Amino acid sequence: MTRRLPTVKDLLPKLSDLLGLLTMDEHEQLLKDASVHVFRKNELIYNPGDKPTHLHCLLSGKVKICKDGVGGRTQIVRVIRPVEYFGYRPAFAGENYVSYALAFENSTIVRIPMDEVIKVVKGNARLSWFFINRLATDLGRADERTVSLTQKHIRGRLADALLFLKESYGVEEDGFTLSIYLSREDLANLSNMTTSNAIRTLSAFAAERLVAVDGRKVKLLDIAKLEKISRIG
Amino acid sequence: MTRRLPTVKDLLPKLSDLLGLLTMDEHEQLLKDASVHVFRKNELIYNPGDKPTHLHCLLSGKVKICKDGVGGRTQIVRVIRPVEYFGYRPAFAGENYVSYALAFENSTIVRIPMDEVIKVVKGNARLSWFFINRLATDLGRADERTVSLTQKHIRGRLADALLFLKESYGVEEDGFTLSIYLSREDLANLSNMTTSNAIRTLSAFAAERLVAVDGRKVKLLDIAKLEKISRIG
DNA sequence: CTATTTTTGTGCCGTAGAACATAAAACACA
DNA sequence: TGTGTTTTATGTTCTACGGCACAAAAATAG
């Protein structure tokens, strides 16, 4: 999984949102054992039960955070885009991982030892605020998602997923095509439905000219209508 | 809603988990505009759309945090017990409330101006850690709940709710009876089902001797079996 | 370039659980 | 004490969606 890596030093500018909050000493403390990794498409980054030994920062690529439920069905609980930090929650809660992380596509990731991060966090209120703000935002999203996934009908949930993907990863130059190409199964795992129903419902959206589908390429043609479908459930 | 209130000063010992993390100055800063309120059973504490102007601390009583979904159905997303802090998440995320809080029963609450809390948090890493730890824990629970509520069957979800209530509010001296007396509707709103189905399923549990029901009093007779039902969904 | 696996697309059937209806208890309060 | 209101209880119907089967298409491997 590791080949021709850039060094951490090469990547410093990308980490500035977090490192900028630190003193020189803290900066040094976090980076001295940081390392760069490349994960290939569909490669596992961590597993439930693992100790959260590292803070992860996604520099390039795309990552999904998943949980499997009783029926063996998978729920994608978060998606990560560059430059975003992930994999820190259980360390802050004093738990092991309960979810797993997979690379959607080839991804470059910096790993920083979590015990160092925690030491710095406990002494640096600016860095603390950085994480407080993110955790509070994610918690709001999680509660919102709970209600949407349990109460909205299939069309509403799929519309949500499509709009969420647009918001998360954006669109290509044409302004319509989602920048991420997902399997129908991933789409289903985002919106809590079976693959069959993701296929069916996406086809229905295409027939209604809300989207245009070409393989895994999805163009969102009528955002307003999709938002309405999301709203009415 | 306000009558014969104890003063904030009377209640200081109960707030020590948080206040103990502060300097004298910070202590003073937080308490100078703190106030005590009594909410009666079913009284509204805050509403979606409200600005999160205050950190709340529940000193006595019980509180539920709810969100209403598209079908007008209510989801209880969190329950608060004494002594616990709540109502701070949206302030940390820079949002307004998206949920509402209701007193399950008569409750005493201290309200501390949130802008002062944020000022102190931004300068005190020990207080920051207090919130990081809680937010991280709540986020883990929220993700877990999402998967449970979407994937488990009705019996599994109700079993979850009963075990969750035991964990949250404990049991009476007999070691069996839940310390909180909920309406069937609240039980339904915890476990994402209709009131009818909460009634039916609870009756089924009673018939199977997993629980004993007397009005709103619920005894958990067979925890192991309930846990099993929860596990298998 | 063929062989095998994975993904996509459809159709059909079964069922968990919502929706609705109604009635009996329990509770509220004048 | 009666009268309205909320809560609990139970039966009946209806449907959204999961489960399964199968075929076509696409991706991947050998």
Side-chain angles (χ1 to χ4, degrees), chain B:
Chain B
M1 100 195 178
T2 301
R3 21 154 227 178
R4 297 255 233 107
L5 298 182
T7 67
V8 174
K9 225 177 164 191
D10 298 334
L11 302 165
L12 285 187
K14 292 202 163 189
L15 300 171
S16 60
D17 56 338
L18 189 144
L19 298 178
L21 305 170
L22 307 181
T23 66
M24 300 272 274
D25 278 0
E26 291 167 342
H27 194 287
E28 165 68 16
Q29 187 180 352
L30 286 196
L31 288 191
K32 71 178 192 299
D33 291 315
S35 54
V36 182
H37 302 261
V38 172
F39 291 88
R40 309 229 43 203
K41 189 178 158 128
N42 289 322
E43 205 176 343
L44 186 70
I45 301 168
Y46 59 73
N47 235 333
D50 290 356
K51 259 191 80 175
T53 52
H54 293 267
L55 170 67
H56 294 67
C57 179
L58 180 65
L59 295 178
S60 71
K62 301 186 176 73
V63 166
K64 58 180 165 179
I65 315 289
C66 308
K67 269 174 91 81
D68 289 351
V70 284
R73 203 129 55 84
T74 299
Q75 177 68 46
I76 300 178
V77 293
R78 241 176 297 293
V79 302
I80 313 294
R81 63 178 157 194
V83 175
E84 209 173 340
Y85 297 84
F86 67 101
Y88 53 82
R89 188 207 64 79
F92 287 155
E95 308 165 2
N96 287 338
Y97 284 116
V98 292
S99 54
Y100 55 96
L102 282 178
F104 264 134
E105 47 187 62
N106 296 354
S107 297
T108 311
I109 288 171
V110 174
R111 303 176 84 221
I112 303 175
M114 198 67 216
D115 48 357
E116 297 299 328
V117 175
I118 289 180
K119 273 187 218 155
V120 175
V121 162
K122 285 189 172 176
N124 180 328
R126 296 221 298 152
L127 181 62
S128 295
W129 181 256
F130 176 91
F131 285 113
I132 285 177
N133 184 256
R134 268 154 190 76
L135 286 165
T137 305
D138 282 350
L139 180 55
R141 291 225 186 89
D143 286 341
E144 189 64 43
R145 191 181 52 238
T146 299
V147 176
S148 293
L149 289 182
T150 55
Q151 298 198 20
K152 285 183 187 175
H153 285 187
I154 255 188
R155 288 168 58 90
R157 302 199 310 262
L158 186 65
D160 273 355
L162 295 172
L163 294 168
F164 171 72
L165 289 172
K166 177 177 148 80
E167 195 199 308
S168 300
Y169 291 123
V171 289
E172 300 185 346
E173 312 77 53
D174 65 5
F176 295 101
T177 307
L178 291 178
S179 296
I180 184 169
Y181 297 178
L182 287 187
S183 68
R184 303 292 190 269
E185 189 183 2
D186 276 328
L187 221 44
N189 291 343
L190 264 175
S191 21
N192 184 39
M193 62 185 69
T194 55
T195 306
S196 310
N197 273 327
I199 291 167
R200 252 187 277 268
T201 310
L202 193 64
S203 300
F205 282 2
E208 297 167 44
R209 306 275 155 205
L210 305 175
V211 305
V213 178
D214 172 20
R216 296 193 173 183
K217 222 181 254 194
V218 179
K219 272 200 224 306
L220 304 191
L221 299 180
D222 193 339
I223 303 284
K225 202 76 158 282
L226 287 170
E227 282 168 345
K228 190 180 170 198
I229 292 175
S230 159
R231 262 197 310 281
I232 63 176

Side-chain angles (χ1 to χ4, degrees), chain A:
Chain A
M1 101 198 178
T2 300
R3 19 154 230 177
R4 300 254 233 106
L5 296 180
T7 67
V8 174
K9 224 176 164 193
D10 298 333
L11 302 166
L12 285 185
K14 291 202 163 186
L15 300 170
S16 61
D17 55 339
L18 187 144
L19 298 178
L21 305 170
L22 307 180
T23 66
M24 301 270 274
D25 278 0
E26 291 166 341
H27 194 287
E28 165 69 17
Q29 188 180 353
L30 287 196
L31 288 191
K32 71 177 190 301
D33 290 315
S35 54
V36 182
H37 302 261
V38 172
F39 291 88
R40 308 227 45 200
K41 189 177 158 126
N42 288 322
E43 206 176 343
L44 186 71
I45 300 169
Y46 58 74
N47 236 333
D50 291 355
K51 259 191 79 176
T53 53
H54 292 268
L55 170 66
H56 295 67
C57 180
L58 179 66
L59 295 177
S60 70
K62 300 187 178 72
V63 166
K64 56 180 165 180
I65 314 288
C66 307
K67 269 174 92 81
D68 289 351
V70 283
R73 203 129 55 82
T74 298
Q75 176 69 46
I76 299 178
V77 294
R78 241 176 296 294
V79 302
I80 313 295
R81 63 181 158 190
V83 174
E84 209 173 339
Y85 298 83
F86 69 100
Y88 54 81
R89 186 207 65 78
F92 287 155
E95 308 165 4
N96 287 339
Y97 284 116
V98 292
S99 55
Y100 55 96
L102 282 179
F104 263 134
E105 49 187 62
N106 295 354
S107 296
T108 311
I109 287 171
V110 173
R111 302 177 82 222
I112 302 174
M114 198 68 215
D115 48 357
E116 297 299 327
V117 175
I118 289 179
K119 272 187 218 153
V120 175
V121 161
K122 285 189 170 174
N124 180 327
R126 294 222 298 153
L127 181 61
S128 296
W129 180 256
F130 176 91
F131 285 113
I132 286 177
N133 184 255
R134 269 152 191 76
L135 286 165
T137 304
D138 282 350
L139 181 54
R141 290 224 186 90
D143 286 341
E144 189 63 43
R145 191 181 52 240
T146 298
V147 176
S148 293
L149 289 181
T150 55
Q151 298 199 20
K152 287 183 185 176
H153 284 187
I154 256 190
R155 289 168 58 88
R157 299 195 317 258
L158 186 65
D160 273 356
L162 295 173
L163 295 168
F164 172 72
L165 289 172
K166 178 177 147 79
E167 196 198 309
S168 300
Y169 291 123
V171 289
E172 301 186 344
E173 313 75 53
D174 65 5
F176 295 100
T177 307
L178 291 179
S179 295
I180 184 169
Y181 297 179
L182 285 188
S183 68
R184 303 293 190 267
E185 188 184 3
D186 276 328
L187 221 44
N189 292 343
L190 265 175
S191 21
N192 184 40
M193 61 185 69
T194 55
T195 306
S196 310
N197 274 325
I199 291 169
R200 254 188 277 269
T201 311
L202 193 64
S203 299
F205 282 3
E208 297 167 43
R209 307 276 154 201
L210 306 175
V211 305
V213 177
D214 172 19
R216 294 191 175 185
K217 222 180 253 194
V218 179
K219 271 201 225 304
L220 304 192
L221 299 178
D222 194 340
I223 302 283
K225 202 76 157 283
L226 286 170
E227 281 168 346
K228 190 180 171 197
I229 291 175
S230 159
R231 261 197 311 283
I232 64 175

